[in-house]
Amino acid sequence: EINSLISAHMAGLLLPSSILSSEEGEEGEKVTSELIELDQVVEHLVPHPGYKLLTCRMMPVVSEYSREFTNTAWEMLGKYSRQMLFQNSILDEKLIWSIKPRSELKTSNKRVSLNTCISNLVVCRGTGSRIPNVEEKFTVPDIYQKEKIKCMFGYSPTSFEKLDKSVFVLSNAEKNGDFLEQLIQDSWTKFQAKAFLYQYESFGLGSDWFNESFNILQKVDQDYRYISYSD
């Protein structure tokens, strides 16, 4: 059901995970870990007060009864998660694999419409969670605004809900505004028809309040539309 799916997405991101870093010492490579704090996530994903819309994605999404028998590769999880981000899809179905970053196109035609990112948080949970196959998918400069890579990686060796491997992606990206645009259109239609308006007026929320709210939301939507043009 939808509530279970939403809670799984949120739990996969908010449960403890760590930033791993490697240092060369006299005894060889030493890996240190630092637990990711919520304020670090907020500061990373929302670097500007004008951009606060976040979208969450999870791979794989399988039924509770199939999880025990699901075994996927990290490379596949990273590949599908990134493609879902490119197409602003929350499902791993009907993905168009010809949509790629400019640097990965083999043809001379470099015009491609991607979901330009401001920042991403990628959390990998499961055995061998720190591998380059996932990291390299999200560290391509030309998928970010002004080609400045802004991606935080969190790792946890603990599996999530009987999934051997799982990837969660929380993104602040251009096409997050698509959801807001649809919300504005639907709400404006109802407002114009004065649907349920009398109920809000009884709480002091009249037409002026709604008009001001629509103006604020349209400004946010417009800001997201111009992310790719500010590169």
Side-chain angles (χ1 to χ4, degrees), residues 3 14 31-32 56 70 75 96 122 134 136 139 142-143 162 180 191 205 219 221 231:
N3 288 337
L14 297 177
V31 178
T32 59
C56 176
T70 301
E75 183 174 2
I96 304 173
V122 180
V134 176
E136 66 185 13
T139 52
D142 49 358
I143 70 175
K162 297 182 180 180
L180 180 61
F191 175 67
L205 305 178
K219 176 62 170 61
D221 181 49
D231 290 356

Side-chain angles (χ1 to χ4, degrees), residues 5-32:
L5 185 61
I6 293 173
S7 62
H9 278 65
M10 295 181 65
L13 286 162
L14 297 177
L15 285 171
S17 61
S18 301
I19 298 174
L20 302 183
S21 57
S22 301
E23 296 180 356
E24 290 292 341
E26 295 180 356
E27 300 179 357
E29 185 181 47
K30 180 181 179 181
V31 178
T32 59

Side-chain angles (χ1 to χ4, degrees), residues 46-59:
V46 188
H48 187 281
Y51 303 100
K52 298 180 180 179
L53 300 180
L54 305 177
T55 302
C56 176
R57 295 172 175 85
M58 170 184 175
M59 272 295 295

